[in-house]
Amino acid sequence: MFCYQCEQTNKSQACTTMGVCGKKADVAALQDLTVYALKGLAQVASAGREAGVVDPAVGPFMVAAMFSTLTNVNFDPQRFQVQLNELVAKREALKIAIKAKNPGVSFPAGPADFQPAVSLEDLVKQGEGQAIPDHRDPNPDIESLKQTCIYGIKGVAAYADHAYILGQQDDAVYAYIEKALSESLTTDKDLGFWVNMAMECGQANLKAMELLDAANTGAYGHPTPVSVPLGHRKNKCILVSGHDLHDLYNLLQATEGKGIDIYTHGEMLPCHGYPKLKEFKHFYGHFGTAWQNQQREFAEFPGAILMTTNCIQKPAATYMDHIFTTGLVGWPGATHVPNGDFSAVIEKALAMPGFTDDLDKGAVLTGFARNAVLGVADKVIDAVKSGAIKHFFLVAGCDGAKPGRNYYTEFVEKLPQDTVVLTLACGKFRFFDKQLGDIDGIPRLLDVGQCNDAYSAIQIAVALAGAFNCGVNDLPLSMVLSWYEQKAVAILLTLLSLGIKNIRLGPTLPAFLTPNVLNFLVEQFNIMPISTPDEDIKAILGSAA
């Protein structure tokens, strides 16, 4: 086992016996094998494009399979076995279609002709031969950029999969993924090529986030500001965690009139801002904080729990019998329910005690996506021009359990009263319930949404730059980001591909970045690690002044 795709990797180097995330060596091997097999499918799909043969089912399958290898998604070995067999079947069917049009075509040896073992034990052995150390590029800097692209693709795949489920897709996203995975097998490309591939990954992610934004807002309306209770009320209950709005909507429909309240957890909090979701009277409040606290928080929840996308941790025995997974999420021993069929979840919720009292724990605001913020753009612009707002901070990204993340809480708490904080993703749970007040009626803390809503934040920044007739880098705006998994890598590549500079990143830098690649990022984009809240605030506002 060798895995360094997330921020919490062992000793900031690599997990080699068991993942800090809870991933066992057999699952790591099956994930490595899945990526290897996907490279082979990408080779065949790329050859198909050259021959004018594109199977419309391949792109959506690739992003779903790639998404399943992202941190904290699927820990179930048997489901990887099923997926690998399906992958090879799709690849061979595509080969037949290509050869029918171009009989003389040939496919490279290696992943393009990989055949999965019959038994799960032998499949794991095949995967053990695909660990990163066995296939590194001779040039460590190129290897670093290859892995950066692969991890970025995992993030792109997550957003593209969500968008596809709601009917939005773009073949250009699939074409990039096929190209990048195919090229990762080569050793004849120079550093400049891989820098460009990383920037292309950022652009592909921008398109995927745009698609998902269109999918979510098209189906459920544009988010509007809303106050979300943090307490609970007496009733049966279901807790929904992850990111998937489609699953939440289906669950809300299925539970209507059944005497069950629906609560959000983690990155589902911003769902309360969508008009079509707010219509359900039993969509009540938010319970808990970020993903890394779920073992404690889920144990306290007196109803059924549904995990819709990545972020699952090893379920504790105290709630194993009432946690359910759906979609790509899997954990051995946890009940997996078919997409859209939540009857087992509802049955369990009705059998459990639910909340037996009413509890007021205050509320938090969410729903400040681009339409909501740009709807009061004139007021924001006037506040900047008058000096009431001196600076904007985007304090956003992933939360996690490793020490050092209190930096983000302290950073926000110490910001001057004439600054505004935009936030998104689960990193906000370090400070989401802080009462920061407002500036001329504009809340100082604006929750833009989930991690994919970085698209909204980008659109807000672009609109403000247009209003002030300057570039985004010239705005009184600073980005202080936290990362954990591969969606954060994809978003960072998007920001860099847009030419955005001076980003502060923490709590630690990715282990897969070599010193030379890191130096390139510093020289080209002035990307920098976080230091201390006091030092960083002084450096930012001092230079702004």
Tab-separated table of all heavy atoms in Angstrom, residues 11 29 44 54-55 86 140 144 157 206 256 263 273 278 402 413 461 521:
chain	number	residue	atom	x	y	z
A	11	LYS	N	2.301	10.916	8.662
A	11	LYS	CA	3.536	11.699	8.805
A	11	LYS	C	3.747	12.663	7.645
A	11	LYS	O	4.879	13.025	7.319
A	11	LYS	CB	4.747	10.773	8.938
A	11	LYS	CG	4.708	9.886	10.184
A	11	LYS	CD	5.927	8.983	10.273
A	11	LYS	CE	5.871	8.103	11.514
A	11	LYS	NZ	7.030	7.189	11.616
A	29	ALA	N	-5.388	-1.386	-2.676
A	29	ALA	CA	-4.955	-2.124	-3.866
A	29	ALA	C	-6.036	-2.116	-4.939
A	29	ALA	O	-5.744	-1.940	-6.133
A	29	ALA	CB	-4.589	-3.563	-3.487
A	44	VAL	N	-8.269	3.219	-24.898
A	44	VAL	CA	-9.184	2.721	-25.924
A	44	VAL	C	-10.164	3.821	-26.339
A	44	VAL	O	-10.441	4.006	-27.533
A	44	VAL	CB	-9.936	1.478	-25.412
A	44	VAL	CG1	-10.985	1.023	-26.425
A	44	VAL	CG2	-8.951	0.350	-25.137
A	54	VAL	N	-17.393	7.173	-30.401
A	54	VAL	CA	-17.528	7.595	-29.006
A	54	VAL	C	-18.746	6.907	-28.413
A	54	VAL	O	-19.869	7.084	-28.892
A	54	VAL	CB	-17.678	9.129	-28.882
A	54	VAL	CG1	-17.880	9.517	-27.422
A	54	VAL	CG2	-16.457	9.834	-29.452
A	55	ASP	N	-18.535	6.095	-27.408
A	55	ASP	CA	-19.628	5.440	-26.701
A	55	ASP	C	-20.128	6.392	-25.620
A	55	ASP	O	-19.395	6.714	-24.683
A	55	ASP	CB	-19.134	4.132	-26.063
A	55	ASP	CG	-20.242	3.352	-25.366
A	55	ASP	OD1	-21.309	3.938	-25.093
A	55	ASP	OD2	-20.025	2.164	-25.066
A	86	GLU	N	-17.208	-4.690	-14.761
A	86	GLU	CA	-18.015	-3.861	-15.660
A	86	GLU	C	-17.120	-2.971	-16.517
A	86	GLU	O	-17.379	-2.771	-17.713
A	86	GLU	CB	-18.989	-3.010	-14.851
A	86	GLU	CG	-19.956	-2.221	-15.713
A	86	GLU	CD	-20.941	-1.387	-14.908
A	86	GLU	OE1	-20.927	-1.492	-13.657
A	86	GLU	OE2	-21.721	-0.647	-15.535
A	140	PRO	N	11.146	12.779	-11.119
A	140	PRO	CA	10.265	12.956	-9.952
A	140	PRO	C	9.327	14.156	-10.071
A	140	PRO	O	8.218	14.136	-9.535
A	140	PRO	CB	11.234	13.109	-8.784
A	140	PRO	CG	12.538	13.492	-9.400
A	140	PRO	CD	12.571	12.853	-10.749
A	144	SER	N	5.346	14.022	-9.979
A	144	SER	CA	4.567	14.870	-9.089
A	144	SER	C	3.386	15.496	-9.832
A	144	SER	O	2.256	15.512	-9.327
A	144	SER	CB	5.462	15.966	-8.506
A	144	SER	OG	4.719	16.883	-7.737
A	157	ALA	N	-14.118	14.327	-11.475
A	157	ALA	CA	-15.045	13.211	-11.625
A	157	ALA	C	-16.198	13.311	-10.633
A	157	ALA	O	-17.348	13.009	-10.968
A	157	ALA	CB	-14.307	11.887	-11.445
A	206	LEU	N	-13.518	23.570	-13.811
A	206	LEU	CA	-14.382	24.745	-13.893
A	206	LEU	C	-15.642	24.411	-14.681
A	206	LEU	O	-16.758	24.781	-14.289
A	206	LEU	CB	-13.633	25.909	-14.550
A	206	LEU	CG	-14.416	27.218	-14.689
A	206	LEU	CD1	-14.771	27.781	-13.312
A	206	LEU	CD2	-13.618	28.238	-15.498
A	256	GLU	N	-42.439	12.639	2.975
A	256	GLU	CA	-43.490	13.635	3.173
A	256	GLU	C	-44.734	12.976	3.770
A	256	GLU	O	-45.221	11.957	3.277
A	256	GLU	CB	-43.834	14.312	1.842
A	256	GLU	CG	-44.612	15.601	2.003
A	256	GLU	CD	-44.634	16.445	0.745
A	256	GLU	OE1	-44.409	15.884	-0.356
A	256	GLU	OE2	-44.871	17.665	0.854
A	263	TYR	N	-32.838	16.224	8.744
A	263	TYR	CA	-31.760	17.120	9.176
A	263	TYR	C	-30.558	16.940	8.255
A	263	TYR	O	-30.331	15.847	7.722
A	263	TYR	CB	-31.329	16.806	10.616
A	263	TYR	CG	-32.367	17.109	11.656
A	263	TYR	CD1	-33.431	16.239	11.868
A	263	TYR	CD2	-32.287	18.268	12.433
A	263	TYR	CE1	-34.401	16.512	12.833
A	263	TYR	CE2	-33.243	18.541	13.406
A	263	TYR	CZ	-34.302	17.668	13.594
A	263	TYR	OH	-35.249	17.938	14.538
A	273	GLY	N	-30.810	26.349	1.510
A	273	GLY	CA	-31.032	27.582	0.758
A	273	GLY	C	-31.767	27.402	-0.553
A	273	GLY	O	-32.220	28.389	-1.161
A	278	LYS	N	-36.613	23.847	0.240
A	278	LYS	CA	-37.220	24.537	1.385
A	278	LYS	C	-38.738	24.372	1.424
A	278	LYS	O	-39.360	24.598	2.462
A	278	LYS	CB	-36.882	26.037	1.337
A	278	LYS	CG	-35.450	26.352	1.745
A	278	LYS	CD	-35.267	27.826	2.041
A	278	LYS	CE	-35.404	28.692	0.805
A	278	LYS	NZ	-35.100	30.114	1.084
A	402	LYS	N	-6.498	16.585	11.654
A	402	LYS	CA	-5.116	16.828	12.063
A	402	LYS	C	-4.973	18.177	12.757
A	402	LYS	O	-5.692	19.126	12.444
A	402	LYS	CB	-4.191	16.785	10.835
A	402	LYS	CG	-3.725	15.382	10.468
A	402	LYS	CD	-2.875	15.377	9.226
A	402	LYS	CE	-1.550	16.066	9.405
A	402	LYS	NZ	-0.686	15.920	8.217
A	413	GLU	N	-11.779	34.939	13.585
A	413	GLU	CA	-12.101	35.678	14.812
A	413	GLU	C	-11.288	36.962	14.927
A	413	GLU	O	-11.757	37.957	15.496
A	413	GLU	CB	-11.848	34.797	16.032
A	413	GLU	CG	-12.841	33.658	16.201
A	413	GLU	CD	-12.504	32.746	17.374
A	413	GLU	OE1	-11.306	32.684	17.742
A	413	GLU	OE2	-13.424	32.107	17.901
A	461	ALA	N	-16.358	36.941	-7.575
A	461	ALA	CA	-15.087	37.676	-7.725
A	461	ALA	C	-14.983	38.318	-9.104
A	461	ALA	O	-14.568	39.482	-9.234
A	461	ALA	CB	-13.915	36.734	-7.492
A	521	LEU	N	5.155	26.771	-8.423
A	521	LEU	CA	3.884	27.372	-8.007
A	521	LEU	C	4.116	28.687	-7.270
A	521	LEU	O	3.355	29.646	-7.425
A	521	LEU	CB	3.106	26.402	-7.123
A	521	LEU	CG	2.628	25.103	-7.786
A	521	LEU	CD1	1.962	24.199	-6.771
A	521	LEU	CD2	1.671	25.407	-8.937
